[in-house]
Amino acid sequence: MKWLHLLALASLLWLAGCAHAPDSGPAAAGSDTSARSPDVPTQPLSTIAAGGSAHGSGVAVVSVPADLWERIRRGFAMPDLGSELVRGQEQWYATRPDYMQRMTERSSKYLFHIVEELELRGMPTELALLPYIESAFNPQAVSSAKAAGMWQFMPATGSYFDLKQNAFRDDRRDVLASTRAALDYLQKLHGMFGDWHLALAAYNWGEGNVARAIARNEKAGLATGYEDITMPNETRLYVPKLQAVKNIVAHPERFQAALPAIGNHPYFDTVDIARDIDVALVARMAGISEADFRELNPSLHRPVILAAGVPQVLLPWESAQSFRRNMLNYHEGRLASWTVWTVPSNMTVSAAAQRSGMSEAELRSLNGIPPRMMIKAGSALMVPRAAGSGKDVPGSVADNGQMAFTPEIVVRRSTVRAGRHDTVASIARRYKVKASDVADWNDLKTSSHFKPGESIVLYLTTRNTPAAHGASPGKRPAGARKTASTVKRAGQAKSPPAHKKAAPAKKRASR
């Protein structure tokens, strides 16, 4: 019995030792690992330098592009064209180094943002080069067909892609808005045609035209690629131009091209605009010139930023923080010198200038009013803000305000002689005026008849003057007598109502 007790005690001691043996593998789920050494480095972490690389067995090399050109090259994803048209376009660009230099330097402000947007959408980075073909990266460019901005949107297409075009801004020129719209459009076209070259042809020529050209080839049993369909010369050269620029960016040394250094980092930052503020004041707070401001905000074509319509603007990266700091500390008075006045009725420029306290030339220049035009009712006219006024322009006006014009009517006093059987009605018909006006101007009834050679006073627009009707004002037919009644009527002729009188001649301001 004693032997059995000793055997049992030895077994218990052996089992206890097995239960406390250390683990050699990972801890089981739910086990307590607090007493074990932590699986984290005990030394400080080191930063991966830009341009460095990570290597590992069977792992691809990943590196940060040294500059933006290299980043663009890595994103090329379109099939290459190798036609003679491409060779010709390469030669054109390569023999114009000054033009290439200006164009690429101008693009340095916008390229980083475009590349970022393309990569976020998974689109080929060749498309970042498209504004070189469209506008030479000039956001103020306007074509003969009225396409505007660096992506060259027509007014109707811009409206379709929600690019506002009003009295205060044109988003077809806006860096962020136009890029968003262009990439939306290109994605839509690629979805329609399933081919980037055809999508680009449609961007230039119109999706309907490309679709019909493809349908014609399909009906004829022909191929339907970009190089197969019939298209205008401009569209035929469109993709070869892009391919030529792509080739120069890919291998500048082959073309003796010098691409300006563009860092792989943002050029600009967005800053919030909470109140209406003068463009000149924003530039001063940011420490930049107005010209530099407008290069990043080319959609704004007035001297004030209306916060309800433009809640953000772009500033150079280093200048954005200066603006924020100076804006917080600004206590020098009002932010905006200008406001918007909605014109209540059709009005001459001189009358509107008098109402707004401006000279006619200044009002024309500020609001882009053409010569010989009146301002139509409902137009959003930019005028000086009254002293002490802190009221900002409401969103309904800031977002939708428009300027509209109607030809200015120039009225002149004319005198004509009545012929045989002339009446008030016949004179009114001949000079395209109302019979009641002819009667009023000459102190007569609308049923009155004129004696041959009698003087008739008329107030006519320039297109209705006697010369336009083959008559000589003030000239009596040969032998006509000046009767007493003629003298009386001519002397007693009434002046027209104020709105029919000719305004005094004004010096027109050049636009």
Side-chain angles (χ1 to χ4, degrees), residues 366-388:
L366 180 63
N367 291 279
I369 304 172
R372 297 179 296 279
M373 287 289 176
M374 293 178 66
I375 306 162
K376 290 188 75 172
S379 291
L381 203 63
M382 185 150 285
V383 297
R385 182 177 290 210

Side-chain angles (χ1 to χ4, degrees), residues 63-77 110-129 246 249-250 259 262-267:
S63 62
V64 178
D67 63 10
L68 195 59
W69 297 117
E70 180 58 29
R71 184 175 177 182
I72 291 171
R73 294 180 193 113
R74 293 186 187 187
F76 286 164
Y110 318 113
L111 263 179
F112 180 87
H113 171 74
I114 297 171
V115 173
E116 287 268 294
E117 290 298 307
L118 287 169
E119 289 180 347
L120 285 171
R121 296 168 182 244
M123 298 170 72
T125 53
E126 287 99 326
L127 296 174
L129 309 177
K246 172 185 175 179
V249 169
L259 300 177
I262 304 179
N264 188 17
H265 55 73
Y267 180 87

Side-chain angles (χ1 to χ4, degrees), residues 25-43:
S31 63
D32 183 7
T33 60
S34 60
R36 300 181 58 199
S37 299
D39 293 328
V40 295
T42 58
Q43 300 298 322

